[in-house]
Amino acid sequence: MDGDRGELDRSVAALVDEYRERCLWFLRPDFRPSSDDEILRTLSAIEKNGDLRAFRKVARLRKWLSRLTSEASAA
C-alpha cells in the first residue's frame, strides 16, 4: 500500500475487473473509474454488492486513496 498513484489506479482497475460481473453489472463493460469521485462510487458499489473479501479489499483501497489525496493536498 506504499505505492504511487499509478499503482493505486492499477489496483482499482484489477478490482473492477474481478468484481465487474457480480457487483458492477449495471455499468458499461469497458467502464474504468477515472476520477477520485468515480473511484469512490465504484468502491462503494463493490462494497455493497460484494463478499467479505471484496469488503476488505475496498477498505484497503479507500485507505490508500485517502493517504494519497491527503499527501497531495498537504504539498
Side-chain angles (χ1 to χ4, degrees), residues 22-36:
R22 185 179 336 165
C23 302
L24 304 172
W25 50 267
F26 53 88
L27 298 174
R28 65 182 197 274
D30 63 341
F31 173 78
R32 288 274 191 259
S34 58
S35 68
D36 290 348

Side-chain angles (χ1 to χ4, degrees), residues 7-73:
E7 190 176 343
L8 171 65
D9 290 341
R10 287 187 295 278
S11 294
V12 169
L15 187 70
V16 166
D17 287 342
E18 182 177 354
Y19 286 95
R20 182 179 303 280
E21 288 184 24
R22 185 179 336 165
C23 302
L24 304 172
W25 50 267
F26 53 88
L27 298 174
R28 65 182 197 274
D30 63 341
F31 173 78
R32 288 274 191 259
S34 58
S35 68
D36 290 348
D37 287 338
E38 283 183 354
I39 289 172
L40 289 172
R41 283 194 303 271
T42 303
L43 292 177
S44 291
I46 293 171
E47 184 177 56
K48 177 181 175 188
N49 299 308
D51 53 13
L52 180 59
R53 186 169 172 252
F55 186 85
R56 289 179 177 157
K57 286 182 174 189
V58 165
R60 195 178 91 249
L61 291 175
R62 279 185 196 276
K63 185 176 178 182
W64 190 358
L65 178 62
S66 176
R67 184 182 54 80
L68 287 177
T69 55
S70 294
E71 287 175 2
S73 64

